[in-house]
Amino acid sequence: MSVPLPQADHRDVERTLLAAGWTPCGAGDWAIALRSPDGRVVARISPFDPTGPYTAALYRQARHTRQVPELFTHHRLAGGGDLQKMQWLQPVAQDEAAAFHQAIATRAPEVADLVDIVRRIHQQAQQLPWCGPLDHNPANVMRATDGRLVVTDLFYANGPKLYATAATDPDLIVTKIPEAERRFMTEIPLAASGPWEPGAQEAMRAGLAKADARTTTT
């Protein structure tokens, strides 16, 4: 990295990896993805992701189940961003993904170890403001190059509630999330549920800045 971690933010990471030959390969609401030149590694880069450390913990603690991606590195980024480098995965059919989610929901024997770890870490994540329930999006079930199914991104912040609060009650956001952990919250891609409404990002940034100023003067 040209900028040392954790001083680097999501822009620094994206710029550095693109210069090194990584190529865009996807985007969601919270992050973009770049693929390594050899095709074996994917970098998930988020400007703002409070649940990133919990997802990384899941990948590490459930590694023995072989039902989560192999995580190579995880770094928190300046301003509340998150970088995960993991193995390249491929999408699966929606019915196959739904069946895997159903197995997790019912704690089927073949995923029992995984489910126990998921539940334990998700309980720990409840300390986060606006922590959401488990994400049952079929796109979160993918296939590794050896054919096994893995589940990704089960944990997430409740985006609609979080961002609605940021727009209508920025003072509450300021009291719950330190500025250093939400500096780039208006830069998430919203590629799945967006795009951002015109002017919404600027208005949200202005509202949060005023709320921060009120906090420092009281």
Side-chain angles (χ1 to χ4, degrees), residues 34-121:
L34 303 180
R35 191 176 185 183
S36 64
D38 65 9
R40 294 185 293 181
V41 181
V42 170
R44 179 188 182 275
I45 307 169
S46 175
F48 169 69
D49 185 0
T51 63
Y54 297 92
T55 297
L58 172 63
Y59 294 165
R60 288 172 175 145
Q61 294 180 31
R63 181 179 180 181
H64 67 280
T65 69
R66 295 180 56 78
Q67 293 165 331
V68 294
E70 184 175 0
L71 180 68
F72 301 122
T73 60
H74 171 248
H75 295 283
R76 291 299 283 171
L77 303 175
D82 197 83
L83 168 65
Q84 299 168 19
K85 288 184 179 179
M86 66 190 78
Q87 69 181 128
W88 169 254
L89 302 170
Q90 296 179 318
V92 302
Q94 187 163 342
D95 58 345
E96 193 172 12
F100 197 77
H101 274 304
Q102 179 63 20
I104 292 173
T106 59
R107 196 178 178 272
E110 65 271 20
V111 294
D113 285 352
L114 171 65
V115 170
D116 290 344
I117 299 168
V118 167
R119 290 176 178 175
R120 182 176 69 246
I121 296 176

Side-chain angles (χ1 to χ4, degrees), residues 133-166:
L134 294 181
D135 190 348
H136 302 299
N137 185 344
N140 291 345
V141 177
M142 305 190 78
R143 192 180 307 281
T145 54
D146 60 6
R148 60 194 165 88
L149 293 181
V150 300
V151 66
T152 70
D153 293 332
L154 282 176
F155 310 137
Y156 70 104
N158 190 326
K161 288 186 178 180
L162 172 60
Y163 281 84
T165 304

